Amino acid sequence: MMKAAEFIQGKGYVVVISRTNRTKTASLTVDDGEVMLVVPKELTSDRIEKIIQGRHTWIIKKIASHLEATPATSKQYVSGEAFPYLGRNYRLKVVQGEYQAAKLINGRLQIGLAESKIQDHFARGALVHWYKRNAERKLREKAERYAKIVGVTLASIHIKSFKTRWGSCTPKGDLDFNWVIVMAPNRIVDYVVVHELCHLIHMDHSFKFWLEVERVMPDYKECREWLKVNGHTLVV
């Protein structure tokens, strides 16, 4: 079960707070429009708010840059709009009021939003956070399961925001996956996981590499073709 996320409402943005024992200092990032602050586990709320206030101007500039760079989308982020996860469409439910993280409730993706000139940005941010959290859980499950079948050992798994890749790996067994892939059907996600795991045996796209992919997933060509044709439609 995933730990409930912690949020702080800033002036024009929402900050996701991630507490961990693995750091002694605070680290602030703005990735794909999502503001994330990683802090030591016991850091007080007062101290966290002071850090955010001190970086307010920087955060606003980063978000503005992201909004300018974000391609035009047909998404409206209104109740009833469909968003896919592992091949199934879930309808969005927008509740006006205080900001609330996206949650899957009775088969609907529900988010709480306050009135804002950039409400679309807040809505997308809530959905991106939900997708990333679920991508981390689901891709880890799949990677651990398929690693046994492929016969490789994993070192680490990370969720990233790639523009042109679905995944990547290192010879040491570190895997990075594009969180967007979980919007695709389950079998397509399996293919991306198997693809990267097979690179731990063959760090290229040689004939031997594709033979290994085919051994684990005989229908990989259909999955690869699906991504070529439909990959551009996986957009939040």
Side-chain angles (χ1 to χ4, degrees):
M1 185 176 180
M2 292 185 296
K3 182 181 178 182
E6 183 180 348
F7 300 90
I8 288 183
Q9 179 76 57
K11 296 180 180 179
Y13 50 85
V14 175
V15 184
V16 181
I17 309 299
S18 176
R19 296 180 181 272
T20 176
N21 289 321
R22 293 176 291 179
T23 185
K24 294 182 179 179
T25 59
S27 175
L28 184 65
T29 60
V30 179
D31 179 39
D32 204 12
E34 179 184 57
V35 186
M36 170 79 76
L37 179 62
V38 180
V39 298
K41 192 171 183 179
E42 303 303 326
L43 195 66
T44 65
S45 296
D46 286 345
R47 179 58 184 149
I48 289 173
E49 291 191 6
K50 286 181 180 179
I51 292 172
I52 295 171
Q53 290 170 5
R55 301 297 301 277
H56 173 75
T57 301
W58 179 84
I59 293 172
I60 290 294
K61 288 181 178 179
K62 282 288 186 178
I63 291 175
S65 296
H66 169 72
L67 291 174
E68 290 176 4
T70 301
T73 176
S74 60
K75 297 294 186 184
Q76 297 180 308
Y77 309 105
V78 295
S79 292
E81 191 169 16
F83 288 86
Y85 175 64
L86 298 179
R88 176 183 172 184
N89 279 331
Y90 292 91
R91 298 291 175 180
L92 183 65
K93 181 177 181 181
V94 179
V95 178
Q96 296 294 335
E98 293 185 355
Y99 177 86
Q100 292 181 357
K103 294 180 180 179
L104 194 57
I105 301 176
N106 296 326
R108 281 179 170 258
L109 272 173
Q110 181 172 307
I111 57 177
L113 295 176
E115 288 290 338
S116 170
K117 293 181 180 179
I118 55 172
Q119 185 165 300
D120 286 0
H121 169 73
F122 284 121
R124 184 179 184 276
L127 290 169
V128 167
H129 181 72
W130 184 86
Y131 274 110
K132 283 182 176 181
R133 284 168 59 80
N134 283 277
E136 183 174 13
R137 174 180 60 83
K138 183 57 67 174
L139 288 167
R140 185 175 301 279
E141 289 175 1
K142 289 180 178 292
E144 290 174 351
R145 173 161 56 89
Y146 276 109
K148 297 175 183 177
I149 300 173
V150 176
V152 293
T153 301
L154 298 174
S156 66
I157 299 172
H158 299 286
I159 302 304
K160 298 291 183 68
S161 296
F162 291 134
K163 290 185 178 180
T164 59
R165 291 182 294 173
W166 298 113
S168 66
C169 72
T170 70
K172 294 182 179 180
D174 302 306
L175 300 183
D176 292 336
F177 291 106
N178 188 338
W179 60 268
V180 176
I181 192 58
V182 295
M183 299 181 77
N186 230 323
R187 190 62 174 168
I188 307 303
V189 182
D190 287 346
Y191 161 68
V192 170
V193 171
V194 169
H195 185 114
E196 295 308 326
L197 289 171
C198 287
H199 274 314
L200 299 181
I201 300 175
H202 303 286
M203 292 296 292
D204 54 27
H205 288 104
S206 63
F207 179 70
K208 289 183 178 180
F209 166 79
W210 289 114
L211 277 181
E212 185 62 28
V213 174
E214 188 173 32
R215 179 184 71 82
V216 180
M217 183 169 282
D219 61 339
Y220 83 88
K221 290 182 180 178
E222 288 86 347
C223 296
R224 184 175 62 182
E225 183 63 21
W226 190 97
L227 271 179
K228 287 181 180 179
V229 175
N230 301 287
H232 71 282
T233 67
L234 305 180
V235 178
V236 176

